[in-house]
Amino acid sequence: MFIAAAVAGFFASAGLIIAIGSQNAFVLRQGLLQRHIGLVVCTCALGDILLIVSGTAGVGALVREWPALLQALRIGGAAFLAIYGLMAARRAWKGGEALAPGSAGEKSWRRVLLACLAFTFLNPHVYLDTMVLLGSLSTQYPGASRWAFAGGACLASVTWFSALGYGSRLLVPVFRSASAWRLLDGFVAVFMISLSLALLMRPL
């Protein structure tokens, strides 16, 4: 029963996390730049673990009772994504800022950490996915099996962010081209701004 619950938690969490999102795009870009990858991976994974454990413990019910908080996060998250998207558009337009991964100087780890925390906790959907949805699914398992489900869900997060952050270095040769970086930043710009508009236009 424990193994079955853990496997179910792993795949349920993986299905939610692996879908492309602003956080994944940020982790991918940091991995390609080879800047503070460990910090980014740990922050994203620990953020997920905190929310999954909270949801399993029943905190997800409180999230459902505070719609105003989710709406505030929706507005704040939309503003953050719009700003980040415009910054990516500027990089794509100018070009030449990151011709070779890891060669453009070290961006402050504090700035990277703050951006990572924003991508993690300003997204209202992360609370609905981890605390509400996974928390609700965990109640299908009795007793300690509920925490086995949560453990599997947490493992999926650690596995995914580690693979994305450290595995992206396999694409580094492709991104030694300036045009490849401009294409990536162009995609990130369109994607982030689209997500920002979606957050503003779609009620939670």
Side-chain angles (χ1 to χ4, degrees):
M1 186 65 176
F2 287 103
I3 295 177
V7 171
F10 183 93
F11 284 106
S13 179
L16 295 171
I17 296 170
I18 293 175
I20 187 168
S22 58
Q23 187 185 48
N24 286 340
F26 175 75
V27 175
L28 174 63
R29 193 172 195 280
Q30 289 302 125
L32 290 170
L33 289 169
Q34 299 181 36
R35 291 178 183 162
H36 311 296
I37 303 173
L39 176 65
V40 169
V41 168
C42 287
T43 301
C44 291
L46 289 175
D48 269 6
I49 289 171
L50 173 64
L51 294 173
I52 290 169
V53 170
S54 298
T56 304
V59 180
L62 295 179
V63 173
R64 290 194 294 267
E65 297 299 319
W66 292 344
L69 174 60
L70 287 178
Q71 295 306 320
L73 288 170
R74 181 168 70 95
I75 301 302
F80 173 76
L81 290 174
I83 292 171
Y84 193 88
L86 292 173
M87 290 170 59
R90 181 174 179 270
R91 289 194 303 266
W93 178 261
K94 291 180 63 177
E97 290 190 1
L99 300 183
S103 67
E106 287 299 311
K107 191 174 182 179
S108 166
W109 68 267
R110 293 181 180 84
R111 292 177 62 189
V112 171
L113 175 61
L114 288 175
C116 193
L117 289 172
F119 277 114
T120 301
F121 294 109
L122 283 182
N123 177 10
H125 292 288
V126 74
Y127 298 95
L128 297 176
D129 288 346
T130 56
M131 296 181 72
V132 177
L133 182 55
L134 290 179
S136 297
L137 289 174
S138 71
T139 61
Q140 298 178 11
Y141 298 90
S145 296
R146 182 178 181 181
W147 292 103
F149 178 93
C154 293
L155 179 60
S157 179
V158 173
T159 301
W160 169 248
F161 286 119
S162 297
L164 183 62
Y166 290 103
S168 57
R169 68 180 58 193
L170 298 175
L171 297 175
V172 165
V174 175
F175 285 89
R176 294 193 186 282
S177 163
S179 59
W181 275 107
R182 296 186 74 174
L183 285 173
L184 176 65
D185 281 327
F187 166 77
V188 169
V190 172
F191 185 66
M192 297 295 181
I193 293 173
S194 297
L195 285 179
S196 174
L197 292 174
L199 278 177
L200 289 175
M201 297 173 65
R202 297 178 188 170
L204 294 172

